[in-house]
Every structure is written in C-alpha cells, then in structure tokens.
Amino acid sequence: MNLSRRTLLRTTGVAAVTAAVVPAVTGGAGATPNLSFGPVRQIDAGVLNIGYVELGPAQGTPVLLLHGFPYDIHSFERVAPLLAQRGYRVITPYFRGHGSTTFRSASTPRNVDQAAFALDTLALMDALGIERAVLAGYDWGSRTADIIAALWPERVKALVSVTGYLITNLEANKKPLPPAAENAWWYQYYFATERGVQGLHQYKREIGEFIWKFNSPTWKFSAATYDRTAAAFANPDYEAIVIGNYRWRQSLIPAEPEYAELEAKLQNAPKIGVPTITIDGKYDPFTPDGNGNSYRAHFTGRYQHRTFAVGHNVPQEAPREFAQAVVDATRL
C-alpha cells in the first residue's frame, strides 16, 4: 500500500428532561440498565452520513458522548442508558472512518486535521436540531470536545474531558518525550512508516486489541466486548483516517488550508471557560503526573477533577462513575 497524500485521504466511501435535581447514577459496571443500546441511526450532517445511537426523551438535555481510538460507540453502551434513564437525550456518534459513518461523496477529501472532527460534531448537532449540549469524551473524543468548548463555547452546556486538555499543539508535538512516554506512543511512530500502513491494513484487529491491553492493564474485557468494537474498524475509510490523523499530529502531512483560521486559534492553546469536569484513569499510561495539575490552567470556568482506578477507556471501564460525572457537570 504505497499511499500518496491524496490516495491516503481520498478513498471511496460506502455507501431526556432537564431536572434541577438529578438522582445519583446507580448500578455498577456489570449492571444492565433497562434501556438497550441501539439501534444505530443514520443522518446526513455536513460532508458525512453519520451513524449514531440516540437514547432518552427528545426534549431532554442533550449529551454527546464521543469515543476514541481504537474504540467506538460501545465505550458508552452502559453510560448512555444510565443517562437516558435520568432524562437526558443521549447521542453517541461514530467518528469519520468508523462504523456506519461514511462520506456522502466519494470525491470528498478524507481530511484528518483535528478541526475536521469538531466540525463533524457541530454538523451533527445542527442536523439533530441541538443548539447546546453537554460534551463528554475520551482520547479523540476529548480532543474534539475540548476544541468545541474552546472555540464555540455557546454550543456547550458543560464538558467532561478524560485526560484534561488534549487540543494538539503541532509545534509542541515535535519535541521528544521521556523514553517511557515515547514507548507508549509506539503506534503513532509506526503509522508514520510505510510498514505501519501495511501493518494496520493487515493486522487492524490485532493492533486494536494490543492497544486495548496496554492502555487498560487492569481491564479484563471479553472477546465479545472487543469484537463489537472491532467491527467498526471495517469502515472503508478507517485506515486513511487513522494513518492520516497520526501523521498530521507529527506534521508529516500538511494541514488543510480550509482549517487554517481555526488552527491558528487552536495553536495558541485557547482557554476553556465552560463548566468542566476532567477525569484521569489511574492506570492509563497516558495520564500525566500531578493529579490534573499539568492542564488545570487551561480551564477557567467552574471546574472539578476526578481520578478513577481504571485505564484509558474510562467510560467502558467505569460507566457508573463516568455517567455521574456527566450529571455533576451539568450542575456546576
């Protein structure tokens, strides 16, 4: 797979009621809420036809739950019903390149800049008639939610962000990290090579499972749990989006001119002033030292920080605690 810039990024696509007092979220990680997670719906939003799950009453406070890599919407399969039972309108979308989310046109560039994911999410909100929402995510989802909260705060009622402030600064990203931190990012450098492109193509399921185990060393997930998510990697644009995004972060491919104005703002590390709860996973290899202190200054509004005894995939490893953080963020 000798992919040029345009070959890589231009592939053929296939075709809750608001309450002043909300009860505490109950049910442990093994609890099965009364509401099932599904079915997946489809809606045209911007350049995408987005697949998403929606639970809860249509008039409820909207909550968007945003997943990471290599994960999918099933990270929230227990969180979403817990919130829906408490009257929230919960929307859990597949990002571009994942699951049933596809590009509406084969000629649309498969852009990978961080701004593209934020614009996708805003387009989804517009398509669903949502003016303001609670945004909650981890990994790619945290980054996307952080960007929207920083640049479009009027669209965000509250924010829940795992690992805090994840807006990518391209210049800072060029600086080397201590060896242990570099080791944790092995796949970022692997994907920078032609070998990594071929590896993701041939071993996407194995790579995802290996990362899951490394990212969450205390999480004993089942084969069925992983299989539900791995199915989302069969999207025809998955490889282009994943490879491209990690190469973009390392400045190995150029930023798209259409995002230049937004990226100029993002490269200045804009503050986030919306009510925010940040979360760290105690056993997440990407959690920075300092109990949130390393990114605290980026958040200027009402704020709380929490640490859970889990790994990287916080909502799936600690669904009750994550759902409670969403509820509490709306009260800040």
Side-chain angles (χ1 to χ4, degrees), residues 250-266:
Q250 295 188 72
S251 299
L252 297 178
I253 59 175
E256 296 291 344
E258 65 188 278
Y259 308 123
E261 183 176 351
L262 295 177
E263 281 300 337
K265 297 176 181 178
L266 294 174

Side-chain angles (χ1 to χ4, degrees), residues 53-70:
V53 167
E54 179 171 347
L55 299 178
Q59 300 305 314
T61 297
V63 177
L64 268 68
L65 303 175
L66 306 176
H67 69 81
F69 165 84

Side-chain angles (χ1 to χ4, degrees), residues 219-292:
W219 183 32
K220 307 305 178 184
F221 57 87
S222 68
T225 294
Y226 179 70
D227 287 345
R228 282 196 302 272
T229 286
F233 307 158
N235 185 292
D237 296 308
Y238 178 77
E239 295 171 30
I241 296 300
V242 170
I243 296 291
N245 182 260
Y246 284 106
R247 290 184 175 186
W248 174 85
R249 292 192 210 181
Q250 295 188 72
S251 299
L252 297 178
I253 59 175
E256 296 291 344
E258 65 188 278
Y259 308 123
E261 183 176 351
L262 295 177
E263 281 300 337
K265 297 176 181 178
L266 294 174
Q267 297 312 302
N268 287 324
K271 305 292 186 183
I272 294 175
V274 305
T276 299
I277 292 178
T278 58
I279 298 172
D280 283 340
K282 181 178 179 181
Y283 303 112
D284 181 357
F286 302 105
T287 292
D289 294 332
N291 195 30

